[in-house]
Amino acid sequence: MPQDELQSGDLAHRFDYAAAFSAGLLDPDRAPPDAVSGPNGKAAIKRYAVYRNNVTVSLIDALAASFPATLRITGPDFFRAMARFHVRETPPSSPLLFEYGRDFPDFIERYEYAQSMPWLADVARMERAWLDAYHAADAEPSASGALASISPERLADTVFVPHPATRAIRSRYPVVTIFAANRSDGPVGRIDASGREDALITRPGLEVYVLHLPPGSAVFLDRLMAGEPLGAAAAAAFAGRAEFDLSANIADLLQAGAFTAAHQGG
Amino acid sequence: MHVDRRTAAARQSASCRFKALVDRYEPALVSEHLAWSTHDTTYYNDLLPLPYTPATVSRVADHIDEMQRAIGRPILLENPSTYVLFPESTMSETDFIRDLVRRTGCGLLLDVNNVFVSATNHGYSALSYLADFPLDHVGEIHLAGHAEQEDDEGDVLLIDSHDGPVADAVWKLFDVVIGRCGPLPTLIEWDSDIPDWPVLKAEAAAAQAILDRHADSDYIFGKAHAAG
């Protein structure tokens, strides 16, 4: 049915039940809608609460499934309370629930009770990027041979095409170490929360691949992913860190499958 | 979902994705619930109820038409479990569903647990619901376990929880349905608190025993309908 019909008064009025029914689903302080009842006019407070509960619990479950390391770090009670606030504030807008939770890391960052875990939001960003890489389109990564066809004098003009699954994560905390320890089933020892870590996340084949990037590499990767030519990206990386190893970085990124193609820019 | 308040463009894109899915996997049967899940920009991830009126029957029929056109084949529409009624309803659920079948040519997926849950919750007889249900259009059966809660008056309120064995009363209703329709593709939905394999396997065997018992009997509706 075309959207403009929904706005016409007559039809909109006929389908008021959806507006009335949905208004209180994520708002526990709101009374159940007048439009519903039990049989023979019986009350519908507990009956409507079944839908409220289904909606809220299923969306909390969806976040728990997408952010397992975050859940493991906080424990289920903390996680579910935090997720409940987020679900009520920012419910999904897409029926594709693997897209849900894109705003969750920012929510965690300002969530009052998570302030003692300042690295938690970055762990959630890693998990969101992991899920994006997992669901990204399949594509054949380009191997280091892709550079062979480019003449050495044009190398600085070379532009890389990022693999659809490639994501770069930069953190002020050891987020790769925390993520890796809490995505496995093994025991988690004490992790020193000082020291920054960056990551490349991509999926060259069926498995998501997480690479702990050396210092300076994330800037380099960000610039290449933004479409800047190799020379400009390398200059930015050197400006940030004089000991940046250009050839090792190119080799590592290509081997990880971060790109699908390289071609001469300009 | 069939009562869908998303924009036409969003529904169009969903239809294209759904067609791609159906084209890729070529499932034997394609089904969808009589329910809605999205309003304005929010997706509620639950099967929400609707009033049964001539206006809503037209709207749902339009959406079934849209979906069937998109995938180029008829779907099976599934009867819901509901916990509330809409006083504005002017049609029974079975009349509503029969009207949809007549208008769209869709088939039906009969969830026998949903029949029992809704009948208990709203105080009518599951057997009379089945007597009014257009059984000759059923192409698939669902069975499931349910949980018990209480409504505001302290009466039993059943929840379609999919987290336990099929109730005895639901097995009896399944037996009645298969006795009338003959064997139909049957799915047991147990997707929460999943038990050990032998328990699940025994549940499937119990369904198979009922299907086998009616395999050669002289049922009223033919196997032709089972193909949807």
Side-chain angles (χ1 to χ4, degrees):
Chain A
M1 186 169 294
Q3 172 70 359
D4 55 358
E5 282 184 54
L6 296 180
Q7 257 108 47
S8 77
D10 184 39
L11 264 171
H13 176 72
R14 278 199 263 163
F15 301 119
D16 271 355
Y17 68 87
F21 192 89
S22 57
L25 286 173
L26 288 166
D27 182 355
D29 297 328
R30 213 173 169 120
D34 294 334
V36 299
S37 74
N40 306 312
K42 280 171 83 173
I45 300 167
K46 288 190 173 174
R47 290 166 176 269
Y48 183 69
V50 174
Y51 295 101
R52 254 183 187 148
N53 186 63
N54 283 350
V55 170
T56 310
V57 170
S58 73
L59 293 177
I60 292 172
D61 287 345
L63 289 175
S66 294
F67 297 90
T70 310
L71 168 65
R72 191 174 176 201
I73 289 165
T74 62
D77 292 348
F78 184 103
F79 184 92
R80 298 187 76 84
M82 178 166 73
R84 180 174 291 106
F85 279 112
H86 183 61
V87 160
R88 287 180 178 157
E89 190 178 291
T90 313
S93 55
S94 164
L96 310 175
L97 281 181
F98 61 84
E99 297 280 0
Y100 186 44
R102 220 165 278 294
D103 303 314
F104 194 42
D106 286 351
F107 175 82
I108 293 173
E109 197 157 279
R110 58 191 160 78
Y111 182 58
E112 186 185 347
Y113 304 102
Q115 296 305 309
S116 61
M117 295 173 277
W119 30 266
L120 193 63
D122 282 350
V123 174
R125 288 189 180 99
M126 283 278 289
E127 300 207 86
R128 186 57 252 182
W130 191 98
L131 201 58
D132 283 334
Y134 183 80
H135 286 289
D138 294 331
E140 193 63 41
S142 97
S144 26
L147 280 178
S149 61
I150 295 174
S151 59
E153 64 271 21
R154 299 299 305 273
L155 215 49
D157 296 332
T158 303
V159 172
F160 290 86
V161 180
H163 189 287
T166 298
R167 302 287 184 278
I169 294 283
R170 299 161 72 174
S171 177
R172 290 185 288 140
Y173 304 97
V175 67
V176 186
T177 305
I178 301 171
F179 170 86
N182 286 283
R183 290 280 285 216
S184 67
D185 292 332
V188 179
R190 198 167 174 75
I191 296 171
D192 180 0
S194 66
R196 48 198 312 149
E197 288 182 357
D198 303 326
L200 159 72
I201 300 174
T202 191
R203 188 174 60 77
L206 292 176
E207 299 285 331
V208 176
Y209 182 68
V210 177
L211 179 70
H212 180 178
L213 292 173
S217 186
V219 176
F220 182 58
L221 176 59
D222 275 348
R223 297 289 181 113
L224 292 179
M225 286 180 69
E228 286 190 25
L230 183 56
F238 281 122
R241 199 171 180 91
E243 66 271 37
F244 177 73
D245 184 341
L246 178 59
S247 57
N249 266 280
I250 295 174
D252 285 351
L253 294 177
L254 283 171
Q255 188 170 7
F259 306 106
T260 53
H263 53 80
Q264 284 180 12
Chain B
M1 298 308 116
H2 289 301
V3 182
D4 189 332
R5 296 287 302 247
R6 284 177 293 169
T7 63
R11 283 214 315 276
Q12 179 74 30
S13 126
S15 288
C16 290
R17 284 198 309 268
F18 192 61
K19 179 183 182 344
L21 180 78
V22 170
D23 286 349
R24 177 164 178 169
Y25 293 105
E26 298 179 356
L29 301 167
V30 177
S31 63
E32 183 52 288
H33 300 87
L34 173 56
W36 56 282
S37 297
T38 297
H39 177 64
D40 283 346
T41 57
T42 303
Y43 174 66
Y44 291 99
N45 195 35
D46 192 22
L47 301 171
L48 302 171
L50 63 154
Y52 298 136
T53 66
T56 58
V57 90
S58 297
R59 185 169 176 74
V60 176
D62 285 347
H63 288 163
I64 295 175
D65 284 342
E66 197 178 306
M67 189 174 179
Q68 293 185 148
R69 248 195 327 271
I71 63 173
R73 55 188 283 182
I75 64 159
L76 304 180
L77 184 71
E78 177 170 352
N79 60 299
S81 272
T82 57
Y83 311 106
V84 299
L85 297 172
F86 288 81
E88 70 182 276
S89 287
T90 54
M91 305 167 74
S92 70
E93 186 169 291
T94 46
D95 284 348
F96 191 87
I97 287 172
R98 182 180 297 105
D99 218 8
L100 289 172
V101 169
R102 185 180 57 75
R103 287 182 187 220
T104 69
C106 73
L108 296 170
L109 191 165
L110 177 61
D111 186 317
V112 180
N113 182 60
N114 286 353
V115 171
F116 186 73
V117 164
S118 294
T120 305
N121 290 348
H122 305 313
Y124 54 76
S125 147
L127 279 172
S128 24
Y129 181 99
L130 290 176
D132 290 340
F133 197 85
L135 288 176
D136 47 339
H137 294 277
V138 173
E140 182 180 347
I141 303 280
H142 279 183
L143 300 170
H146 54 251
E148 264 190 36
Q149 291 184 13
E150 283 183 359
D151 72 2
D152 293 301
E153 281 77 8
D155 295 328
V156 172
L157 184 69
L158 297 183
I159 313 293
D160 179 34
S161 52
H162 295 191
D163 62 353
V166 176
D168 288 347
V170 174
W171 283 124
K172 291 203 178 80
L173 293 172
F174 177 58
D175 198 356
V176 168
V177 169
I178 298 303
R180 285 186 206 159
C181 298
L184 288 168
T186 299
L187 178 76
I188 294 172
E189 300 178 295
W190 194 332
D191 43 44
S192 186
D193 288 339
I194 298 169
D196 290 339
W197 170 242
V199 178
L200 269 183
K201 195 178 167 200
E203 202 77 344
Q208 191 62 56
I210 291 173
L211 293 168
D212 289 347
R213 189 143 47 79
H214 294 289
D216 303 316
S217 51
D218 188 18
Y219 41 83
I220 298 169
F221 304 118
K223 273 180 183 153
H225 296 292

